[in-house]
């Protein structure tokens, strides 16, 4: 069974951007979108859930979606538990720690996937002149890690906007990077594309094209599945829609 992804956010702009770039996956039910707060999520269903905490490097749960998580799962005691599980240690941005909710589990939630999106919220890492390395890449990495670290029994992975709050990545940038990671992940687990081509696509999206890491087979496969290699190789995430380089309904 393919893990479903439930994207949740109170900000309607985030919801709108997801809707634009995830149309196909929403239509076939792989991605569900919820515009609302964490406590308005349906709790009746019996699905096994994991939830992403877009945290900071020190594990405090004092703001944004983390604060909602803290309140939902037990307040300051829960924050203490999370920091204890992180060994009160510095966790670099993008690292994922899978924390079993144990006595704090409720509403089907079994695991918290703690992933820092900021070191601390004092200063945004996003730098307008270089959105690829300071925006797209961070959000892609955080999303990619969340998808890959979700424990195997997870039926539904609940994910808020990543870097769309305190982290200060512009919403269109963050949502596009999230959508690209989610769509590539589906193409990977469905085995629609080879791992080599997926890797090449990530290089092109993030602006790290390196000929020595891209095989002729991979370029052939690209053309075979109907993706124009030149379009992919020159992809600019600021201007080009994802549908230029991804199959439309996936
Ligand atoms: P980051 O540091 O990655 O920017 P934030 O927690 O500041 O993380 O924000 C992430 C997203 O969570 C934002 O898009 C914000 O709109 C959303 N958000 C904040 N609080 C809630 C909540 N209670 N319910 C749903 N979404 C929320
Ligand atoms: Na954060
Ligand atoms: Na947060």
């Amino acid at each position: 069974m393919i893990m479903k992804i439930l994207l949740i956010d109170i900000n309607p702009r985030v919801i709108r951007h997801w809707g634009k770039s995830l149309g196909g996956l929403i239509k076939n039910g792989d991605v569900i979108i919820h515009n609302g707060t964490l406590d308005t999520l349906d709790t009746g269903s019996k699905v096994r859930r994991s939830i992403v905490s877009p945290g900071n490097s020190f594990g405090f749960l004092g703001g944004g979606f983390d604060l909602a998580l803290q309140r939902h799962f037990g307040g300051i005691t829960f924050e203490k538990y999370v920091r204890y599980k992180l060994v009160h240690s510095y966790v670099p941005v993008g690292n994922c720690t899978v924390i079993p909710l144990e006595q704090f589990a409720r509403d089907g939630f079994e695991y918290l996937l703690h992933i820092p999106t900021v070191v601390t919220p004092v200063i945004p890492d996003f730098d307008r002149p270089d959105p690829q390395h300071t925006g797209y890449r961070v959000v892609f990495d955080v999303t990619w890690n969340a998808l890959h670290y979700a424990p195997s029994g997870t039926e539904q992975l609940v994910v808020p906007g990543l870097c769309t709050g305190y982290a200060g990545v512009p919403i269109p940038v963050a949502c596009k990077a999230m959508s690209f990671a989610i769509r590539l992940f589906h193409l990977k687990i469905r085995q629609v594309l080879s791992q080599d081509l997926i890797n090449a696509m990530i290089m092109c999206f993030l602006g790290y094209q390196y000929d020595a890491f891209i095989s002729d087979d991979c370029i052939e496969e690209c053309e075979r599945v109907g993706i124009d290699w030149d379009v992919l190789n020159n992809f600019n995430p600021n201007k080009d829609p994802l549908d230029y380089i991804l199959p439309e309904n996936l």
Side-chain angles (χ1 to χ4, degrees), residues 80-229:
K80 283 195 178 136
Y81 172 75
V82 169
R83 297 198 67 232
Y84 161 77
K85 286 291 188 180
L86 298 170
V87 207
H88 298 97
S89 177
Y90 171 75
V91 182
V93 168
N95 277 34
C96 181
T97 310
V98 178
I99 299 176
L101 288 168
E102 293 177 357
Q103 71 268 32
F104 300 98
R106 54 174 285 197
D107 309 328
F109 290 110
E110 296 178 346
Y111 295 94
L112 184 81
L113 271 53
H114 182 267
I115 313 180
T117 56
V118 295
V119 177
T120 69
V122 284
I123 177 170
D125 289 329
F126 184 74
D127 185 28
R128 275 195 186 279
D130 186 12
Q132 244 174 343
H133 302 106
T134 65
Y136 290 103
R137 181 173 128 194
V138 183
V139 180
F140 180 85
D141 288 352
V142 169
T143 312
W144 191 251
N145 264 350
L147 295 166
H148 285 80
Y149 277 83
S152 58
T154 303
E155 292 168 332
Q156 188 184 78
L157 179 65
V158 177
V159 189
L162 299 171
C163 303
T164 46
Y166 285 99
V169 174
I171 286 169
V173 172
C175 292
K176 200 165 188 179
M178 287 185 77
S179 299
F180 185 62
I182 292 169
R183 287 173 68 171
L184 268 195
F185 180 74
H186 271 92
L187 293 168
K188 174 178 164 165
I189 55 176
R190 290 214 168 89
Q191 301 181 319
V192 177
L193 304 177
S194 72
Q195 186 64 60
D196 278 352
L197 181 52
I198 285 169
N199 290 345
M201 293 175 92
I202 294 170
M203 284 180 223
C204 295
F205 183 83
L206 299 180
Y208 290 91
Q209 296 90 330
Y210 183 50
D211 284 348
F213 290 174
I214 299 169
S215 68
D216 291 343
D217 284 355
C218 168
I219 296 173
E220 264 170 42
E221 178 188 347
C222 188
E223 299 285 351
R224 198 166 58 239
V225 298
I227 302 164
D228 186 320
W229 173 253

Side-chain angles (χ1 to χ4, degrees), residues 8-11 14 36-38 54 63-66 68 117-118 160-168:
I8 176 172
D9 213 288
I10 36 171
N11 187 338
V14 173
T37 55
L38 181 58
F65 195 71
D66 287 338
T117 56
V118 295
L162 299 171
C163 303
T164 46
Y166 285 99

